[in-house]
Amino acid sequence: MIGRLLHSAAAVLVAAVVFTAPVLPAYGQQSSSKPETSQTAAQPQLPSFRVAISDRDYSRGRRIFPNVWGPYAPVEVPPPDLTNSPKIEQLIHEGKMELSLQDAMALALENNLDISLQRYTPWIAETDILRTLSGGAARGLAGTGTASVLGAIPVETFDPLVTSTLSLDHRNTPVNNPFLSGTGTALPSVTNHTITGNFGYSQAFHTGTGMAVTWNNNRLSTTSPATLFNPAVNSALFVSFTQQLLNGFGLMPNTRFIRIAKNNKKIADYQFSQQVITSVVQVSNQYWELVFARADVQVQQRAVEVAEKLYADNKRQVEIGTLAPIEVVRAEAEVARNRQNLIVSQTNQLQQQTLLKNLISKNPLAANLQDAEIIPTDRPVQLAQIDIPPLPNAVKEALEKRPDILQQRVDLLNREINVRATGNALLPVLSLFGQYGWSALAGNSRVSGAPTAFTANLNSPVVSATGTPTGTFTSNPVLGPSTLVSTGLTDAFDAIFNNNLPTYTLQLSLSIPIRNRSAQADSARARLERRQSETTLRRLQNNVVVEVRNAEIALEQNRARVEAATKARILQEQTLDAEQKKFQLGASTIFFVIQAQRDLATAQDAEIRALVDLLKSKIDFERALGRTLEVNRITIADAKGGRMQPDTLIPGTVSGEVIGTGQTY
């Protein structure tokens, strides 16, 4: 009689512990000040997140005005911010971080290093735009589909180029042969003193046109007597142009690098969006994995408590002789097994918590975060019915929204540009060159003076009665007197602008490569890469079909799995209740009670696992359809600032943006 009463008392204790445990364990402290959310209950409007790609524009170069030295100074790039955002510290209280799923996503958008690292890709793409605007070739970005075929078309600089040469040259040259040296007289040496000032301006245009203006000036002072002007000033002004008529003609071959660079910037933006989606999915999945790990720890803790209580009761009954000693051994073995399960569960919880910290912080070793315990405040519950569109509609939506598909389409545009550019490069080079110029010569020169010789008439007196010479004067430019006429650079300029000595040139040059194998290879490769890109796009589209279909199947199956797991948990509760009643009537043993309690713990774990997997399948379904950003109200845009700005109902503005409207002025 006493033994039966002790058995009944032990059964009542086991049942009390089991039934006081909640069917779905709590996932945060009971004293949590943050309200728990529910997926099925009516939720308030979720905050929206505006993720900025860049707060600066590296596609715009510095202008020469008003800072003349600006274009020649390096661009300052600020160092990366590798400290955690203040929001992390705000969420930590007494060594615990109460974290909702929305908080986790917000922290990831602010601190995730994968997002911070990917933000550099659009910036680097902008530098390619700046480079191609000057006429250079795009350097490309790894993984962005940058075209590898550049073609054989020469690319000129679209930036105006000003050149100047100022020189001073003084030479003393010994003379060995005066006739060969041009002096005409025996001189020991000739001294030449030359001052040169040349200036030029050149620029190319998108039509394949090149323009240049050159202005050359030279002043030569020499001791050689053979020069007509000493010192002599030479000045020449030439305006020339070059126009490609076949190879390199038109906007396409000359602006292809600009178009490719701008397309690569779009690809980089899509890659950034893809990284944001990936990070949000990772954080969401990791959040629910931590929720499951904490729930599993609580289930295992209750199992240990029940096993220890049973062990203590059995030990007491053995001491008073109402229970066989083997029951104590069984109870002790159950305690050891449950403790082992608890250690494994606690280890898994710490691992999941570490992974989540790494996703939501830039420095998980920060003093306030390293030892903080993350307490998720959201519960995994059965989802409301989700509208799953027909497969064709779902695939169409995914093809319109998914960044990887949009990225591949832009890559295909790059391949089309290459095909057209390399097709133009197959043509011969036919160039039209024209030049018009003016030249002038000035300096100091001597002009012959009055006659220096007189020839008298033999039949008449030398002088008439009035004193007038009767002979004739003859001029002698060598022996006669002369005057020095001085002219200089301004006189040369006058001659140029008065068009005294115009010159012009018109030239048509043709270059025909006989076999043209290099251009053929570039053209063939461009077309092959276009077909390859088309095939890649179709493969991605087919993968989207598979991913969307699998996501739909997983969502439906996990929903059914949750229903089955819930029903199994309810049946296990009923089984345990029946086993307790049988034990009280003496129709069962402690072993079967322990087994029923163990099965109930397993059923509870299975139900939580099914709920978490259902939520994760919903996340994957939204990712497959390209809805991740839309569902979580995340906007990817250029903005003034690298942090996301959640909407709020507080009136005012932040960084020029009206809060709650998403409108920027």
Side-chain angles (χ1 to χ4, degrees):
M1 183 66 180
I2 297 177
R4 179 170 295 182
L5 291 176
L6 291 174
H7 278 71
S8 300
V12 171
L13 288 174
V14 172
V17 174
V18 171
F19 286 112
T20 53
V23 174
L24 291 179
Y27 305 102
Q29 292 180 335
Q30 297 297 328
S31 59
S32 173
S33 60
K34 185 171 291 189
E36 297 173 346
T37 60
S38 173
Q39 297 290 343
T40 55
Q43 295 183 354
Q45 186 68 28
L46 295 176
S48 64
F49 305 110
R50 184 181 180 90
V51 182
I53 296 179
S54 174
D55 58 351
R56 56 191 66 88
D57 188 356
Y58 290 100
S59 66
R60 298 179 180 272
R62 294 178 176 177
R63 298 184 179 274
I64 197 169
F65 297 107
N67 183 7
V68 178
W69 187 250
Y72 313 105
V75 177
E76 294 295 334
V77 178
D81 182 8
L82 301 179
T83 59
N84 295 330
S85 62
K87 187 171 184 179
I88 289 182
E89 186 174 357
Q90 296 171 2
L91 292 173
I92 298 177
H93 302 284
E94 299 179 355
K96 299 182 183 297
M97 176 187 287
E98 296 183 356
L99 194 68
S100 67
L101 180 58
Q102 287 293 313
D103 290 335
M105 285 192 294
L107 290 177
L109 296 177
E110 290 182 350
N111 299 298
N112 188 272
L113 288 179
D114 290 333
I115 296 178
S116 300
L117 184 63
Q118 193 64 44
R119 183 173 277 114
Y120 283 93
T121 303
W123 292 342
I124 297 175
E126 289 174 354
T127 63
D128 257 4
I129 296 177
L130 181 61
R131 178 180 174 84
T132 56
L133 289 175
S134 71
R139 295 183 176 181
L141 299 169
T144 59
T146 300
S148 58
V149 176
L150 302 180
I153 307 172
V155 179
E156 304 291 343
T157 175
F158 299 139
D159 285 349
L161 179 64
V162 176
T163 60
S164 65
T165 302
L166 301 176
S167 66
L168 176 64
D169 185 82
H170 185 84
R171 298 175 184 269
N172 287 317
T173 306
V175 176
N176 185 34
N177 189 326
F179 297 100
L180 295 179
S181 63
T183 61
T185 60
L187 295 175
S189 64
V190 173
T191 301
N192 293 327
H193 187 81
T194 307
I195 300 176
T196 302
N198 298 334
F199 304 92
Y201 176 92
S202 61
Q203 185 177 2
F205 301 92
H206 294 173
T207 56
T209 306
M211 184 268 291
V213 178
T214 58
W215 182 24
N216 299 329
N217 301 280
N218 180 279
R219 183 183 185 278
L220 171 63
S221 176
T222 181
T223 59
S224 174
T227 57
L228 296 179
F229 291 88
N230 191 15
V233 177
N234 292 277
S235 184
L237 178 64
F238 291 95
V239 178
S240 61
F241 76 93
T242 304
Q243 175 64 55
Q244 301 295 333
L245 300 179
L246 293 176
N247 190 331
F249 174 79
L251 296 177
M252 169 54 66
N254 293 284
T255 62
R256 68 193 186 281
F257 292 143
I258 299 176
R259 299 185 182 189
I260 289 175
K262 291 182 177 179
N263 286 342
N264 287 343
K265 173 60 168 60
K266 294 180 181 179
I267 291 176
D269 291 343
Y270 289 138
Q271 281 192 331
F272 181 78
S273 300
Q274 184 65 49
Q275 183 58 61
V276 173
I277 292 174
T278 301
S279 297
V280 169
V281 170
Q282 287 178 343
V283 169
S284 301
N285 288 336
Q286 193 58 48
Y287 182 90
W288 291 120
E289 285 296 329
L290 179 59
V291 168
F292 171 77
R294 289 180 60 85
D296 186 58
V297 167
Q298 293 178 4
V299 170
Q300 300 303 328
Q301 284 176 340
R302 287 193 297 272
V304 169
E305 292 172 359
V306 172
E308 289 177 344
K309 183 64 176 176
L310 183 60
Y311 170 71
D313 293 342
N314 287 356
K315 188 176 181 181
R316 190 178 306 110
Q317 293 183 52
V318 169
E319 290 175 353
I320 63 177
T322 58
L323 191 66
I326 188 62
E327 298 297 338
V328 175
V329 176
R330 291 178 179 175
E332 188 175 6
E334 182 69 11
V335 170
R337 189 188 70 83
N338 288 332
R339 285 178 178 174
Q340 180 182 3
N341 292 340
L342 177 60
I343 292 174
V344 173
S345 182
Q346 290 174 336
T347 301
N348 182 53
Q349 177 185 341
L350 292 175
Q351 291 174 339
Q352 301 301 329
Q353 181 174 267
T354 301
L355 292 174
L356 183 58
K357 285 182 180 179
N358 183 59
L359 293 175
I360 64 175
S361 67
K362 295 178 181 177
N363 181 18
L365 295 178
N368 60 342
L369 180 62
Q370 180 179 1
D371 298 326
E373 179 186 4
I374 297 180
I375 302 177
T377 59
D378 288 344
R379 290 171 176 255
V381 294
Q382 176 66 285
L383 295 174
Q385 187 65 34
I386 299 177
D387 182 21
I388 300 179
L391 183 61
N393 296 343
V395 171
K396 181 180 178 181
E397 180 181 357
L399 296 179
E400 293 174 353
K401 294 181 178 180
R402 287 184 48 154
D404 53 345
I405 298 296
L406 300 178
Q407 174 183 336
Q408 187 59 36
R409 287 175 178 170
V410 177
D411 175 76
L412 183 57
L413 292 178
N414 280 350
R415 307 300 175 179
E416 293 287 350
I417 292 173
N418 265 336
V419 168
R420 296 174 60 185
T422 54
N424 177 269
L426 287 168
L427 300 175
V429 177
L430 180 61
S431 302
L432 177 64
F433 174 78
Q435 185 183 68
Y436 195 91
W438 305 264
S439 59
L441 176 63
N444 293 346
S445 63
R446 289 191 172 273
V447 179
S448 300
T452 58
F454 176 77
T455 303
N457 294 327
L458 297 178
N459 299 325
S460 61
V462 176
V463 180
S464 65
T466 60
T468 303
T470 58
T472 58
F473 290 93
T474 59
S475 176
N476 189 335
V478 176
L479 300 178
S482 60
T483 58
L484 181 64
V485 178
S486 297
T487 57
L489 188 61
T490 56
D491 299 284
F493 290 168
D494 290 339
I496 289 176
F497 291 114
N498 289 328
N499 199 23
N500 292 343
L501 299 172
T503 61
Y504 60 86
T505 301
L506 189 62
Q507 175 180 309
L508 192 65
S509 60
L510 177 63
S511 176
I512 303 177
I514 299 302
R515 302 189 67 177
N516 207 23
R517 288 182 289 186
S518 176
Q520 289 183 35
D522 290 342
S523 178
R525 178 167 179 169
R527 282 162 170 75
L528 289 171
E529 289 185 344
R530 178 184 62 181
R531 300 308 182 193
Q532 185 182 47
S533 182
E534 291 173 350
T535 306
T536 302
L537 178 59
R538 174 53 60 90
R539 183 186 64 180
L540 287 177
Q541 291 172 342
N542 292 346
N543 290 342
V544 167
V545 175
V546 175
E547 290 182 14
V548 170
R549 182 54 182 158
N550 287 342
E552 290 180 348
I553 293 173
L555 192 60
E556 294 172 350
Q557 288 183 342
N558 284 328
R559 183 185 297 277
R561 179 181 160 200
V562 168
E563 295 175 355
T566 301
K567 185 175 182 180
R569 187 258 306 165
I570 295 174
L571 293 176
Q572 259 333 115
E573 291 175 348
Q574 296 175 356
T575 300
L576 178 60
D577 180 63
E579 200 64 41
Q580 292 290 344
K581 292 179 179 178
K582 289 169 60 179
F583 183 79
Q584 292 176 2
L585 297 175
S588 181
T589 64
I590 290 295
F591 173 79
F592 292 108
V593 175
I594 293 175
Q595 185 65 42
Q597 192 276 335
R598 186 185 302 174
D599 293 342
L600 176 59
T602 302
Q604 290 175 341
D605 261 354
E607 184 180 17
I608 299 298
R609 181 76 264 175
L611 287 169
V612 168
D613 288 346
L614 175 61
L615 293 173
K616 292 175 64 176
S617 64
K618 177 178 178 292
I619 294 170
D620 187 63
F621 176 74
E622 294 167 350
R623 181 203 59 80
L625 267 66
R627 294 179 178 178
T628 301
L629 299 180
E630 177 185 346
V631 169
N632 295 286
R633 303 187 64 199
I634 299 174
T635 302
I636 308 295
D638 289 328
K640 296 179 180 180
R643 297 182 183 275
M644 62 84 192
Q645 177 62 46
D647 286 352
T648 176
L649 300 178
I650 302 175
T653 61
V654 172
S655 300
E657 180 179 343
V658 179
I659 295 178
T661 66
Q663 186 175 4
T664 302
Y665 294 95

